[in-house]
């Protein structure tokens, strides 16, 4: 597993396997998204759609919420009595909405991510710090990388 | 996911219980690895969500650990692989605690596409608690330095401050 025997071939095969698994997941695993619901309204009537993965609020009021998605902007109706938290435009949210065959989505649940930008900045700085630590902990030598004593 | 600073803090605290020594850097790389190989893809190409999710799974991260270890010298590959794997496992265990609005992570990809999560803590809460996490981590670091005597003056420096020669001999010994 770790010997020098066929080392380069092992590296190529592992890298290839990673690419194949990622590609397979990308091609074969696909939840229907809201545009699929609109394309086949009878099939998806009453089903819950996930409006997640860091959707950004475009506009919001007490009756409707518009958020961005990779396929375009989606409008979610806020049902009467739904307690919508204070969410300014630009805020990242995840949401669940129920689809109606008439072509509208009604908000069912929502979760805000007010610290997402901070999370990205802090994570980038941390990654940079670890890369620097690695740079000072590893040297290039005969037979590959080597940890410094 | 919790932010990477929180992941790194858990790695540092966990690393206090084992003697990482020169493996510390690769252990810290391991604890960031599942996010490093998946999040940038998702952020740059949002439509590749499932590819990114598959890279954030134990089997694929195991392959990444193996691949990275093969770049090292033959005698260091196994310890590097184990350090990367231990770090990655710590990352996955910490991610398991998260509460998502929808599902969790692909723990058994490619054998199963079911997603799992215990659902205790909202991801944003980790950022909210980050100052406290860092305070605890820095406190543990400083306490460790003081207990091992690395935080204060070295014995030679103390003597020098009291009037010794650069070589460490007291002035009275000067010929």
């Amino acid at each position: 597993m770790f010997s020098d025997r066929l080392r380069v071939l092992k590296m190529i095969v592992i890298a290839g396997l990673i690419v194949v698994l990622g590609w397979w997941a990308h091609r074969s695993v696909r939840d229907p998204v809201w545009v699929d619901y609109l394309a086949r309204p009878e099939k998806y009537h009453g089903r819950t759609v996930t409006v997640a993965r860091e959707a950004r609020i475009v506009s919001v009021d007490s009756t409707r919420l518009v958020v961005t998605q990779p396929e375009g902007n989606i409008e979610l109706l806020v049902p009467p009595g739904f307690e919508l938290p204070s969410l300014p435009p630009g805020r990242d949210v995840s949401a669940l909405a129920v689809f109606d065959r008439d072509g509208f989505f009604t908000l069912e649940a929502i979760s805000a991510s007010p610290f997402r930008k901070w999370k990205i900045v802090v994570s980038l700085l941390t990654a940079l710090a670890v890369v620097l630590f690695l740079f000072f902990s590893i040297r290039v030598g005969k037979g590959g990388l080597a940890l410094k004593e | 996911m919790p932010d990477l600073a929180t992941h790194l803090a858990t790695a540092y605290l966990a690393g206090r219980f084992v003697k990482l020594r020169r493996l510390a850097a690769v252990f810290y790389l391991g604890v960031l690895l599942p996010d490093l190989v998946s999040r940038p893809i998702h952020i740059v190409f949002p439509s590749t969500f499932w590819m990114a999710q598959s890279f954030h799974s134990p089997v694929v991260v195991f392959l990444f650990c193996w691949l990275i270890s093969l770049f090292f010298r033959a005698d260091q590959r196994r310890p590097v692989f184990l350090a990367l794997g231990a770090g990655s496992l710590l990352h996955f265990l910490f991610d398991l605690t998260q509460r998502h609005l929808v599902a969790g992570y692909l723990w058994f990809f490619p054998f199963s596409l079911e997603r799992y999560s215990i659902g205790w803590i909202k991801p944003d809460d980790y950022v909210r608690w980050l100052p406290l996490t860092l305070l605890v981590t820095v406190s543990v670091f400083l306490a460790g330095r003081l207990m091992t005597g690395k935080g204060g003056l070295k014995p030679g420096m103390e003597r020098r401050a009291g009037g010794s020669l650069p070589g460490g001999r007291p002035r009275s010994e000067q010929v």
Side-chain angles (χ1 to χ4, degrees):
Chain A
M1 187 172 173
F2 299 111
S3 69
D4 275 330
R5 195 167 164 266
L6 303 174
R7 179 185 172 207
V8 175
L9 183 65
K10 277 189 276 192
M11 292 167 90
I12 292 169
V13 169
I14 295 166
L17 205 54
I18 290 169
V19 171
V20 167
L21 285 170
W23 185 249
W24 177 76
H26 178 63
R27 297 291 296 179
S28 59
V29 188
R30 186 172 180 271
D31 289 332
V33 292
W34 62 281
V35 285
D36 299 320
Y37 284 52
L38 288 174
R40 302 174 74 179
E42 287 301 330
K43 182 183 177 184
Y44 292 114
H45 174 70
R47 297 260 293 267
T48 300
V49 64
T50 305
V51 186
R53 294 151 209 169
E54 289 88 29
R56 185 153 296 171
I57 296 176
V58 177
S59 64
V60 59
D61 60 40
S62 59
T63 59
R64 66 187 208 37
L65 178 75
V66 180
V67 295
T68 57
Q69 286 285 265
E71 303 83 11
N73 292 351
I74 174 174
E75 183 179 280
L76 310 174
L77 301 179
V78 181
F82 188 95
E83 285 190 21
L84 196 65
S86 176
L87 297 167
R91 178 67 54 84
D92 296 313
V93 292
S94 297
L96 297 177
V98 178
F99 178 67
D100 187 279
R101 64 166 67 87
D102 290 334
F104 56 84
F105 298 88
T106 306
L107 190 63
E108 191 176 65
I110 191 162
S111 167
S113 311
F115 295 109
R116 182 165 180 257
K117 281 176 192 149
W118 279 106
K119 195 161 95 172
I120 292 172
V121 170
V122 163
S123 295
L124 282 173
L125 290 175
T126 306
L128 189 66
V130 170
V131 167
L132 278 175
F133 187 33
L134 276 167
F135 182 77
F136 289 112
S137 305
I138 292 171
R139 62 182 167 78
V140 183
K142 277 183 183 175
L145 300 173
L147 296 166
K148 286 180 185 171
E149 295 297 328
Chain B
M1 64 161 190
D3 60 279
L4 292 184
T6 303
H7 275 302
L8 187 61
T10 60
Y12 176 76
L13 295 173
R16 300 284 305 173
F17 295 101
V18 286
K19 288 178 180 173
L20 289 171
R21 289 181 183 152
R22 61 182 183 165
L23 286 170
V26 279
F27 179 67
Y28 297 152
L29 175 66
V31 89
L32 307 189
L33 193 61
D35 284 345
L36 289 183
V37 297
S38 62
R39 298 300 159 203
I41 299 172
H42 177 219
I43 291 169
V44 177
F45 306 107
S47 63
T48 59
F49 174 76
W50 283 106
M51 180 185 282
Q53 280 291 88
S54 72
F55 284 2
H56 194 287
S57 67
V59 167
V60 177
V61 170
F62 166 87
L63 292 173
F64 271 109
C65 293
W66 189 10
L67 180 63
I68 293 168
S69 71
L70 285 173
F71 282 96
F72 281 80
R73 223 171 56 193
D75 62 315
Q76 294 186 345
R77 282 175 205 153
R78 188 183 298 273
V80 164
F81 172 79
L82 291 174
L84 286 171
S88 300
L89 183 65
L90 186 66
H91 179 110
F92 285 124
L93 290 175
F94 215 62
D95 273 1
L96 191 65
T97 62
Q98 285 180 107
R99 184 168 72 219
H100 299 271
L101 191 65
V102 187
Y105 291 106
L106 295 166
W107 269 79
F108 302 107
F109 177 84
F111 310 107
S112 165
L113 299 174
E114 288 294 317
R115 287 173 281 175
Y116 299 94
S117 173
I118 294 176
W120 287 341
I121 303 164
K122 284 166 67 179
D124 256 32
D125 286 344
Y126 287 109
V127 188
R128 209 186 302 268
W129 297 339
L130 187 58
L132 182 64
T133 308
L134 292 179
L135 185 68
V136 170
T137 309
V138 171
S139 302
V140 170
F141 171 76
L142 291 176
R145 299 280 291 185
L146 287 172
M147 284 166 69
T148 55
K150 289 178 182 171
L153 287 170
K154 289 177 183 171
M157 291 167 71
E158 255 175 76
R159 280 201 300 275
R160 232 171 285 149
S164 68
L165 296 169
R169 284 181 300 157
R171 275 189 198 283
S172 56
E173 289 178 20
Q174 194 174 1
V175 180

